[in-house]
């Protein structure tokens, strides 16, 4: 079952964020707390949205956290999928596909024309999964990021 996340899901989402970061060999980079997620997802001005996947017993086994982006070329919003994660014990059960299907449905329903995300180049299982669903790598684009000291320096 796929559903919109609720405030009660925050502890599980936070735990899965940490599990994902550990899988990506970047657990030491996680600074987000449950309170950060609560504010981002359910605060006065939500900046992000989330869906969760539940197994047959109602346990949360995966999540998709996303936010809106905008295409100046297409003139409409799209969804940027920040994180998609399914716990290892639930992989192969269709939860990842169901989460992506729900986000695609949201795009179509709202007139959004893109569903985009990034994947680590070494994460072959994820790449194979996404490509099997019809997603294609945008090979002409590289992602750039300013953080920490560089962000502060550029901000002046």
């Amino acid at each position: 079952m796929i559903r919109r996340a609720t405030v009660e899901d925050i502890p599980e989402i936070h735990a899965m964020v940490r599990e994902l970061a550990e899988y990506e060999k970047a657990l030491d980079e996680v600074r987000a707390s449950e309170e950060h997620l609560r504010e981002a997802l359910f605060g006065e001005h939500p900046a992000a949205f989330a869906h969760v996947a539940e197994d047959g017993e109602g346990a949360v086994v995966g999540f998709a956290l996303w936010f809106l982006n905008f295409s100046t070329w297409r003139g409409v919003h799209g969804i940027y999928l920040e994180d998609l994660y399914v716990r290892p014990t639930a992989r192969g059960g269709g939860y990842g596909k169901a989460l992506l299907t729900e986000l695609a449905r949201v795009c179509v329903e709202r007139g959004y024309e893109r569903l985009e995300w990034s994947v680590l180049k070494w994460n072959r299982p994820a790449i194979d999964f996404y490509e099997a669903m019809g997603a294609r790598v945008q090979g002409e684009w590289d992602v750039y990021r300013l953080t920490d000291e560089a962000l502060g320096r550029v901000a002046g």
Side-chain angles (χ1 to χ4, degrees):
M1 173 182 170
I2 306 302
R3 63 173 173 77
R4 291 287 303 259
T6 66
V7 172
E8 290 76 24
D9 296 315
I10 294 294
E12 286 297 321
I13 292 171
H14 185 256
M16 289 186 288
V17 165
R18 295 184 57 79
E19 291 169 27
L20 174 60
E22 185 171 24
Y23 173 75
E24 293 182 350
K25 302 169 182 64
L27 183 57
D28 60 322
E29 295 179 35
V30 175
R31 296 182 186 168
S33 66
E34 288 183 22
E35 187 53 40
H36 288 124
L37 292 175
R38 188 174 290 106
E39 181 63 28
L41 295 169
F42 301 105
E44 186 176 341
H45 301 287
F49 309 91
H51 285 78
V52 294
E54 291 181 332
D55 67 11
E57 284 87 50
V60 174
V61 296
F63 79 102
L65 194 142
W66 56 277
F67 55 89
L68 295 180
N69 60 15
F70 185 81
S71 169
T72 56
W73 291 9
R74 295 196 175 218
V76 296
H77 284 292
I79 286 178
Y80 186 84
L81 175 60
E82 178 65 21
D83 286 326
L84 174 70
Y85 180 75
V86 175
R87 289 187 157 137
T89 56
R91 291 186 188 149
Y95 299 107
K97 183 176 182 179
L99 285 162
L100 275 179
T101 297
E102 179 61 16
L103 295 187
R105 188 195 62 72
V106 170
C107 284
V108 170
E109 180 181 275
R110 297 182 185 180
Y112 304 161
E113 295 189 13
R114 290 183 178 168
L115 173 54
E116 297 179 311
W117 61 91
S118 299
V119 62
L120 290 166
K121 293 180 184 200
W122 58 259
N123 193 347
R124 192 78 238 165
I127 293 166
D128 292 344
F129 169 72
Y130 295 137
E131 289 181 352
M133 292 193 68
R136 296 294 166 248
V137 66
Q138 300 298 298
E140 295 180 11
W141 298 87
D142 283 325
V143 176
Y144 285 80
R145 178 179 297 157
L146 285 171
T147 61
D148 303 323
E149 296 83 24
L151 180 63
R153 196 172 42 256
V154 170

